[in-house]
Amino acid sequence: MFTPVRRRGTEILDDPNADAALSLRSLRDIALANRFFGGKRAVVREVATLLRRHSGGNEPVSLLDIGTGLGDIPAAAARMAGRRGLVMRTIGLERAPMLAAAAATRCTDALAADAMHLPFADRSIDIITISQVLHHFEDAEASQLLQECTRVARMGVVVGDLRRSWLAVAGLWSSSYLLGFHPVSRHDGMLSVLRGYTEPELRSLIERATGCHAGVTHRLGFRITAVWSPRYRRA
């Protein structure tokens, strides 16, 4: 089955003035999708790979999750690190205080801030994760976000996103009814898939923006991950 052309549509909840209760309901649907379709597992697996390089002894590992939603991914990463004998300090970042507050119970810290201008010094956070966020931006803004992440990350950056295909659209549409998604979550979710990436697209976007080589991998559930280290920029 051929890959659809990447769409440029606007999702309902991309509107910063979207209803707060509806936004929270959608975040619950996203967390459910992450659990059942592999989004959480895919990102945590890449974080686990980066942790193999950790040489900080007993020092806590810091992780910043951009667009953290309900904080399900940093919470899962912290549990995984704990099983490896590491302490992980997680920071969830959202665009609005109300959304950051929703993540606060699952993250060590949560804050509302502009992801395009991260309030952190260069090389101040060990690992940065971005799950199902990048596709919301056009190329110029996506590049700026990737550059900011690369500036702040010390160990590596992990992107998890959707792998674009008609089969993924059909699967999300049908399963959204079984999982009880809100109609807005269904609409935005299907559009998100059509705004997702192929492997060459994601690799090219990251390498153009950051100058770093990115390892890009297909994952189950029509997911795609990319991971890179700021220490290994291309010449």
Side-chain angles (χ1 to χ4, degrees):
M1 184 179 294
F2 70 92
T3 301
V5 174
R6 189 163 188 254
R7 301 295 173 89
R8 302 285 188 181
T10 301
E11 297 178 33
I12 294 170
L13 294 178
D14 281 347
D15 183 350
N17 297 313
D19 178 74
L22 182 57
S23 295
L24 286 173
R25 168 61 195 275
S26 182
L27 290 180
R28 288 193 289 271
D29 291 341
I30 291 170
L32 194 62
N34 278 335
R35 177 183 174 189
F36 283 101
F37 302 136
K40 178 168 62 178
R41 180 172 58 251
V43 171
V44 172
R45 180 174 293 182
E46 295 289 18
V47 172
T49 299
L50 285 173
L51 288 179
R52 294 175 191 153
R53 306 175 191 167
H54 178 63
S55 57
N58 294 323
E59 289 295 316
V61 179
S62 55
L63 181 143
L64 170 66
D65 186 45
I66 295 176
T68 194
L70 296 182
D72 54 314
I73 288 178
R79 289 193 298 270
M80 176 274 296
R83 291 192 294 270
R84 293 166 177 251
L86 297 171
V87 175
M88 178 173 281
R89 175 175 176 260
T90 59
I91 308 166
L93 185 144
E94 269 292 349
R95 64 186 180 185
M98 178 271 297
L99 298 178
T105 59
R106 292 188 174 183
C107 300
T108 311
D109 298 291
L111 73 157
D114 181 1
M116 299 298 173
H117 304 281
L118 293 172
F120 300 99
D122 295 0
R123 305 291 183 268
S124 59
I125 304 291
D126 288 314
I127 298 171
I128 297 180
T129 54
I130 321 168
S131 178
Q132 289 179 238
V133 170
L134 193 63
H135 70 260
H136 289 273
F137 299 101
E138 302 300 336
D139 284 355
E141 285 189 320
S143 294
Q144 184 177 345
L145 174 58
L146 294 169
Q147 289 161 8
E148 272 293 273
C149 293
T150 305
R151 176 185 69 80
V152 172
R154 184 163 44 233
M155 191 181 302
V157 183
V158 176
V159 170
D161 220 295
L162 299 163
R163 183 154 43 97
R164 190 171 74 251
S165 81
W166 286 120
L167 189 57
V169 172
L172 177 61
W173 182 85
S174 58
S175 61
S176 68
Y177 287 95
L178 295 173
L179 294 173
F181 280 15
H182 190 281
V184 169
S185 301
R186 184 177 304 118
H187 168 274
D188 283 7
M190 289 190 293
L191 182 53
S192 284
V193 174
L194 291 171
R195 296 172 76 182
Y197 297 97
T198 64
E199 181 179 331
E201 288 169 349
L202 185 56
R203 179 181 292 108
S204 177
L205 174 61
I206 292 167
E207 294 187 353
R208 288 198 317 269
T210 70
C212 299
H213 172 74
V216 181
T217 307
H218 285 180
R219 299 292 183 185
L220 294 175
F222 296 99
R223 305 292 173 144
I224 189 169
T225 58
V227 60
W228 69 96
S229 172
R231 292 177 293 182
Y232 300 116
R233 290 181 180 270
R234 297 188 304 177

